[in-house]
Each structure stands twice: as C-alpha cells, then as structure tokens.
Amino acid sequence: MSAPVFDTFIFVPAYNVEKTLAGVLDKIPESVWTRSKVLVINDGSKDGTEAVAREYGAICDSRENRAGRLKYFAFEQNSGYGAVVKKGITEGLASGAKFVACLHGDGQYPAELLDKFLEHLENFRDETRDADGSVEKRCLALLQGSRRAVAGGAKAGNMPLHKRIGGAFLTALENIAFKYKLTDRHSGFILYNTEFLRQVDVDKLSPSFDIDLELISIADTRFALGELPIPTVYADEKSNLNVIIYGFRCLRLVWRRLWMN
C-alpha cells in the first residue's frame, strides 16, 4: 500500500484547553484531514489537555482517512506562545509540507474554514511587473484570518472593548509602516506557504505573542500577503496575553520598520 499523500501541516497551540481541544479538532473538514498531518503542541498545561489529545489520537487511528495523522508533543514546562509557534513551524518544514497552518486549541478560530483558506492560498497569484517589463507571479507568503474585515464583527463576537480599541490602533499604525494594508494583523489564525518559511531564521523569532506580527513583518518586505474574513469568537476563556507588554512589542516592530524605511 502506498504511503498517504499530504501537503499540509497543522500545528495546534494547546495550553489548558481540555474543554475545547476535541471540538476544535472535530471541526477540521474531512477534506483537510485527508491531506494533512496535525501536531498538538501542549505548552505545559496543568489540566487534562494531554489526556484529551491522546484520546483523540486513538480515535483518529481508528479511522482510515485519519490514521497516523494526529501527533502529540508536550513541553515539560510552559515555554510561551513563541516557542510553540517555532516548534510548529520547524516540524512543518521538516515534514515536507507545502503549507503550514496555526490552529489554536482554545476554539477562538474557525477550524471549519481551513479548506477555504487552503484553496485561496493555493490558487492566489500576485502579478508584478519588473523594470524591464517582465511579469513575475508570486504566491502568498501567508494568509491571515481577519476579524475586522466585516464591519462590527469583532463587537458582535464579544471581543473585549480594550482589545477592539487596542487592535484597531495598532493595526492603523502598522498599516502606515508596512507595505500591505490589512484589516487585522493580530489574529492568530494564519496559514503559511513553506516557500516563505524556508527563508526565515526561525531561531531568531520572538519568544512571545508578537511572533505572528514578526512573521507578517518579514513577509511584508518581499512577499505577498492576504487575508480572509473570519468570525470573532470570545466566550469565558482565560487569555494568557498581557496586552500592555504585547502592545509595546508590536510598537517596537513598527518602529523598526519605519526606521528601515
């Protein structure tokens, strides 16, 4: 029997998500499961996240189109979001996949839209004309889900007021500094093209939550970026993000870009 064919690697940041992890994995479309490897990365959780992940892995192994597709990795201690993303990207590149997707285990982002995002990432081509008149077709470096692409979406999804205001302020500043103008640079629902990721020194990336914006900033210099609308989902989950520290880290990235220009 020939080995299963896949071109997508999905990593799932998982920190104290025993209540939501199985539901997130359930929402991944079957068409995506058949082309993907999925890695749950437990960042030193103190609850039953590991048990849920292993139980779900056993369920996957009992299904023909999911057998061997779900793997599990755990940091012994909480290492931070940046460490999780670095691990996910590194494993994704090592897998040989064409695309790497970050799908948070807390249920804030729409796993059910992965097929739509993958289709867009595959088919998009950005045409640019060089000085000599030749046309270059570039693929997307990354595709980000935007909670602000639809007016009023963030508020309707119960995003806290301070996050709506802070995110809008930061995005406005970032759109001044960066080449590509996006509506939401602070969503963690991102799919990457490994053609771009292979050119990133992963070890030098931020250890904190601003790693997503850092990757967007790197891609913005030489690649094409894209976004698609996603629903905003905020319930009673506890955020591990310190908004003040995160905001200053983002402002530092903006300053660096403005200084470069």
Side-chain angles (χ1 to χ4, degrees), residues 86-254:
K86 290 180 186 182
K87 177 66 176 177
I89 289 175
T90 299
E91 294 295 326
L93 289 173
S95 74
K98 291 175 59 179
F99 309 109
V100 173
C102 178
L103 175 64
H104 291 210
D106 61 4
Q108 279 201 18
Y109 298 114
E112 65 274 15
L113 294 183
L114 280 169
D115 52 354
K116 178 181 178 181
F117 272 66
L118 283 168
E119 180 181 7
H120 189 84
L121 193 59
E122 285 180 294
N123 297 329
F124 180 90
R125 290 294 181 271
D126 178 42
E127 294 189 0
T128 59
R129 189 173 297 276
D130 295 334
D132 61 2
S134 61
V135 176
E136 177 187 6
K137 293 186 177 181
R138 300 183 300 171
C139 61
L140 283 176
L142 60 86
L143 180 62
Q144 185 174 34
S146 171
R147 300 158 297 182
R148 300 175 184 275
V150 177
K155 182 178 180 180
N158 297 317
M159 181 185 289
L161 179 62
H162 69 280
K163 289 191 174 183
R164 296 204 309 270
I165 295 174
F169 172 74
L170 288 173
T171 296
L173 286 180
E174 291 151 5
N175 279 339
I176 295 173
F178 297 155
K179 174 183 176 183
Y180 280 88
K181 313 307 177 187
L182 302 176
T183 60
D184 180 7
R185 294 179 185 271
H186 303 280
S187 157
F189 189 63
I190 309 177
L191 282 72
Y192 300 94
N193 193 315
T194 54
E195 183 178 329
F196 157 64
L197 290 178
R198 290 190 195 98
Q199 301 185 43
V200 176
D201 189 341
V202 176
D203 291 335
K204 292 184 178 180
L205 293 174
S206 171
S208 190
F209 282 96
D210 59 314
I211 188 172
D212 291 337
L213 182 62
E214 190 173 23
L215 284 161
I216 293 171
S217 177
I218 294 170
D220 184 78
T221 57
R222 291 177 293 155
F223 297 86
L225 311 180
E227 64 178 4
L228 291 176
I230 60 171
T232 302
V233 178
Y234 273 84
D236 57 354
E237 65 275 350
K238 180 181 178 181
S239 174
N240 300 297
L241 173 67
N242 184 311
V243 294
I244 296 177
I245 294 176
Y246 175 73
F248 277 113
R249 284 181 172 272
C250 292
L251 289 173
R252 183 174 60 181
L253 285 170
V254 170

Side-chain angles (χ1 to χ4, degrees), residues 62-100:
S62 68
R63 301 183 185 180
E64 183 178 355
N65 67 324
R66 295 191 187 184
R69 296 299 178 108
L70 181 66
K71 300 298 182 181
Y72 174 80
F73 173 85
F75 288 105
E76 291 186 6
Q77 297 180 339
N78 183 257
S79 300
Y81 179 69
V84 172
V85 173
K86 290 180 186 182
K87 177 66 176 177
I89 289 175
T90 299
E91 294 295 326
L93 289 173
S95 74
K98 291 175 59 179
F99 309 109
V100 173

